[in-house]
Amino acid sequence: MRIAFFTETFLPKVDGIVTRLTKTVQHLVAAGDEVIVFCPEGAPDSFMGARVVGVPAMPLPLYPELKLALPRPAVAEALEGFAPDLVHVVNPAVLGLGGIWLARTNDLPLVASYHTHLPKYLEHYGMGMLEPLLWELLKAAHNQAVLNLCTSTAMVEELSEKGIQHTALWQRGVDTDLFRPQLRSQATRLRLLGDHSDSNALLLYIGRLSAEKQIERIRPVLEAIPEARLALVGDGPHRQQLERVFAGTPTTFVGYLAGEELASAYASADAFLFPSSTETLGLVLLEAMAAGCPVVGANRGGIPDIVSDGSNGCLYEPDEPDSLVRATRRLLGDEAERQGLRSAARQEAERWGWAAATDQLRGYYRSVLSRSLSLAA
């Protein structure tokens, strides 16, 4: 198959969407497919055998890490030269809308996927009143597609309820070779602790430092559990605000980590806290679980698809003020239970390899192409 991706998010950015896309491209190419990726400029010209076409882009004012790329004639020319069998638009925004238009113009089967719960982000940027309008725009874009893929059952249900048609689940994936418990390291632990003493209660957050991640909710945990230490790995537009929020607490701002350094960070912590209630999946939770780090996540969105409360991790209720504190205390309170959660978390992660997720995606592609051929006959 010849597949053209349009995405607003790609390398060198670091997030769960980029991880899923890069792993998907890698496995598609390994399976013999030809791939081209249209994305904001700044990415390499090729990746794992796929051609990458960078498109001039401008930063989104409220979220400078995200860039809006405006489609131009060179995109249409490159797409026509590649002659794809189908177009896959990831999180359609400005460039994605161009991909939708080009797919329709060239009579190409269109697949779209939903990864970022943008309507729920709006309230964290003081624009909650725009949520109904954004849903209408998303519905208009996604309903151009033959198939709309979601990364959790909760998102399949919510998009269907909002009027988005032809939804299906694109199963989760994680690199269990990279993220593994054996990378637990005292040197990494000391780096995460910064200048703070080791109290056997090292809490970890990994991800974007942005308003919608609700990282401020961890501050009461540090106040309620004085022996706890916190490491925040990642960066983003909310970092300066968070530095003020966590001033005076035993918190280390580590910055970005990648590769085995990142995997070792997961493996070296005592608990992974992920307070966000806006996640369509929460890939970092799977990475933490693969590394054998006990997790606490919100009982919202795609997270309950991953975390079974009391079995392979703990869930907290975002609407209950002390729920995150209670869940963290429960996880830290019993060493034997925590070791059981570590083992169960790793076992859950081992069920979800990227190869299987990409095989499922290729099956969806084949189904879409067969349907298109049937309609053309």
Side-chain angles (χ1 to χ4, degrees):
M1 289 179 286
R2 298 172 65 83
I3 303 131
F5 284 98
F6 284 79
T7 177
E8 316 288 338
T9 309
F10 201 61
L11 298 169
K13 195 171 186 300
V14 179
D15 65 14
I17 301 171
V18 175
T19 298
R20 179 175 280 266
L21 275 176
T22 53
K23 293 296 183 182
T24 298
V25 168
Q26 177 185 350
H27 285 278
L28 287 172
V29 172
D33 298 315
E34 295 184 57
V35 177
I36 188 170
V37 179
F38 295 93
C39 63
E41 61 187 352
D45 293 334
S46 64
F47 176 78
M48 302 298 290
R51 181 184 171 194
V52 179
V53 178
V55 182
M58 63 186 74
L60 187 65
L62 285 173
Y63 206 111
E65 281 190 326
L66 289 179
K67 297 181 179 179
L68 298 181
L70 299 174
R72 51 191 59 210
V75 172
E77 293 170 7
L79 185 71
E80 290 175 14
F82 181 72
D85 295 313
L86 63 81
V87 171
H88 182 158
V89 175
V90 177
N91 271 354
V94 179
L95 181 59
L97 292 178
I100 291 172
W101 183 82
L102 287 169
R104 298 300 297 269
T105 301
N106 291 281
D107 198 26
L108 293 167
L110 175 65
V111 173
S113 52
Y114 187 88
H115 303 261
T116 304
H117 209 9
L118 287 176
K120 293 301 180 187
Y121 281 20
L122 291 176
E123 62 187 79
H124 299 286
Y125 291 91
M127 296 186 295
M129 75 292 293
L130 296 177
E131 183 176 337
L133 173 61
L134 182 53
W135 273 119
E136 289 302 312
L137 295 173
L138 288 170
K139 184 167 69 174
H142 277 275
N143 280 344
Q144 303 297 312
V146 179
L147 178 66
N148 284 294
L149 298 175
C150 307
T151 55
S152 67
T153 56
M155 290 300 102
V156 170
E157 293 170 4
E158 184 164 357
L159 265 63
S160 298
E161 290 170 358
K162 295 295 184 181
I164 293 175
Q165 302 169 355
H166 313 303
T167 55
L169 178 66
W170 182 5
Q171 74 182 45
R172 66 199 72 125
V174 67
D175 186 344
T176 53
D177 292 326
L178 173 60
F179 300 103
R180 59 192 192 275
Q182 292 80 5
L183 291 179
R184 187 175 179 87
S185 158
Q186 186 61 25
T188 298
R189 189 176 176 90
L190 291 174
R191 180 179 180 182
L192 296 175
L193 286 163
D195 296 326
H196 307 295
S197 61
D198 193 342
S199 64
N200 291 319
L202 174 57
L203 311 178
L204 178 67
Y205 167 89
I206 293 177
R208 289 196 309 279
L209 304 187
S210 50
E212 73 277 2
K213 298 300 183 182
Q214 302 163 286
I215 303 165
E216 295 91 343
R217 292 184 171 191
I218 303 177
R219 167 91 196 217
V221 176
L222 296 177
E223 294 169 348
I225 308 174
E227 67 274 18
R229 310 289 182 257
L230 174 65
L232 300 177
V233 175
D235 213 331
H238 209 46
R239 176 165 178 163
Q240 289 186 341
Q241 171 68 16
L242 288 171
E243 287 175 345
R244 291 191 290 270
V245 168
F246 286 96
T249 69
T251 299
T252 306
F253 286 80
V254 181
Y256 280 119
L257 296 177
E260 286 209 348
E261 283 189 325
L262 176 64
S264 181
Y266 282 118
S268 301
D270 297 305
F272 183 81
L273 269 56
F274 197 56
S276 172
S277 59
T278 64
E279 299 302 306
T280 60
L281 175 64
L283 178 61
V284 289
L285 282 167
L286 262 182
E287 292 175 347
M289 293 165 73
C293 184
V295 301
V296 178
N299 191 18
R300 292 291 187 279
I303 291 174
D305 273 13
I306 301 171
V307 181
S308 298
D309 188 49
S311 175
N312 59 23
C314 295
L315 294 173
Y316 89 97
E317 296 296 336
D319 297 335
E320 298 179 13
D322 295 327
S323 183
L324 182 57
V325 172
R326 293 197 303 270
T328 306
R329 274 190 169 135
R330 180 165 61 127
L331 188 149
L332 293 174
D334 188 315
E335 177 63 24
E337 182 179 355
R338 191 158 76 249
Q339 291 303 321
L341 291 176
R342 287 183 186 276
S343 176
R346 173 66 190 185
Q347 289 173 16
E348 174 66 19
E350 286 175 346
R351 299 174 55 208
W352 306 107
W354 284 116
T358 309
D359 284 345
Q360 183 205 34
L361 179 64
R362 296 183 80 235
Y364 282 136
Y365 288 163
R366 287 191 293 268
S367 176
V368 166
L369 290 173
S370 297
R371 198 179 321 165
S372 299
L373 288 171
S374 298
L375 291 173

